[in-house]
Amino acid sequence: DAGVIQSPRHEVTEMGQEVTLRCKPISGHNSLFWYRQTMMRGLELLIYFNNNVPIDDSGMPEDRFSAKMPNASFSTLKIQPSEPRDSAVYFCASRDRAGETQYFGPGTRLLVL
Amino acid sequence: GENVEQHPSTLSVQEGDSAVIKCTYSDSASNYFPWYKQELGKRPQLIIDIRSNVGEKKDQRIAVTLNKTAKHFSLHITETQPEDSAVYFCAARTGYSTLTFGKGTMLLVSP
């Protein structure tokens, strides 16, 4: 099992540019979570999908952030336009139907200059 | 919503000592409490969890205790080793939805 896969692993971009982060959950898992981690705010839940449907997006900071899950094996988190305060590590995690454990991906380190 | 407070924010111990990290939660309906370990530059990984119908759980050198009345739970690491150095996060879940994480505790184990 390859685990949760995220790409890119590192992203450096300039303010105002569009950023797209990608996640492939563990096969068979039906819940997917996007988190943002910073020193100041810790680990924050951005959005939660269940069976490809967004269930809770109350953590999405503002309209510049959007997330999609077009199928069970792929999700994207998009920031447009990006700002320096978006610099953080973004984690994707997945959970299976019967379990309780969330398995995290390796994260994407985003730096917005 | 749920609120999870975690203390201390940093903890330094000597190798072989015990370490205790404490968390409190606000929602009495929370029923699942995992602990994650995150090494520098790595992803969070589950190390132990406890459900609301259990008061204590052990796995080798680590244990978790839960006091539902007081709404707090703790992680205990005995015989600490340098490889235990990491950031530890507690979390709480209400129902079968999302986890709310504490702010983390940086544990440093000195040889």
Side-chain angles (χ1 to χ4, degrees):
Chain A
D1 190 341
V4 177
I5 298 172
Q6 291 187 246
S7 66
R9 296 292 306 277
H10 302 271
E11 177 82 22
V12 180
T13 190
E14 292 187 346
M15 182 174 61
Q17 295 298 305
E18 177 179 296
V19 175
T20 299
L21 311 182
R22 298 172 177 80
C23 176
K24 177 179 170 56
I26 294 172
S27 178
H29 283 194
N30 71 324
S31 294
L32 185 140
F33 308 82
W34 281 102
Y35 291 92
R36 177 173 67 179
Q37 185 175 40
T38 61
M39 288 294 292
M40 290 297 294
R41 300 175 69 90
L43 201 57
E44 301 175 280
L45 177 69
L46 299 177
I47 188 167
Y48 156 50
F49 291 89
N50 191 53
N51 294 324
N52 312 338
V53 176
I55 302 300
D56 183 358
D57 65 354
S58 59
M60 295 288 263
E62 48 199 272
D63 292 346
R64 298 185 297 107
F65 285 68
S66 62
K68 295 182 179 179
M69 192 164 186
N71 57 62
S73 59
F74 184 65
S75 177
T76 60
L77 178 67
K78 186 175 292 186
I79 308 173
Q80 167 62 19
S82 58
E83 296 182 2
R85 61 192 169 121
D86 301 329
S87 298
V89 180
Y90 291 82
F91 287 102
C92 173
S94 70
R95 184 185 70 200
D96 68 28
R97 191 178 308 276
E100 293 175 307
T101 304
Q102 290 188 21
Y103 296 88
F104 283 77
T108 296
R109 292 184 176 275
L110 173 64
L111 178 61
V112 183
L113 302 174
Chain B
E2 176 64 278
N3 182 51
V4 176
E5 299 285 338
Q6 183 171 349
H7 300 280
S9 56
T10 59
L11 180 59
S12 294
V13 299
Q14 293 290 320
E15 182 177 1
D17 287 350
S18 295
V20 180
I21 302 170
K22 299 181 179 181
C23 290
T24 60
Y25 60 98
S26 61
D27 190 341
S28 57
S30 289
N31 56 12
Y32 174 65
F33 308 90
W35 286 87
Y36 282 80
K37 175 184 180 182
Q38 186 178 25
E39 297 177 351
L40 187 62
K42 305 285 185 163
R43 75 192 76 188
Q45 292 191 295
L46 180 76
I47 55 171
I48 196 168
D49 57 13
I50 192 167
R51 289 159 185 80
S52 57
N53 59 347
V54 176
E56 184 175 3
K57 183 178 179 180
K58 289 183 179 179
D59 183 3
Q60 300 181 348
R61 295 187 297 107
I62 61 173
V64 58
T65 58
L66 171 65
N67 183 326
K68 286 174 55 180
T69 302
K71 290 190 284 189
H72 68 69
F73 56 113
S74 301
L75 177 71
H76 304 253
I77 306 174
T78 59
E79 300 173 24
T80 54
Q81 302 167 3
E83 52 265 38
D84 294 330
S85 295
V87 178
Y88 292 80
F89 293 93
C90 63
R93 188 193 70 195
T94 304
Y96 192 63
S97 58
T98 59
L99 294 175
T100 300
F101 285 86
K103 287 289 191 289
T105 295
M106 181 177 293
L107 174 65
L108 177 60
V109 181
S110 303

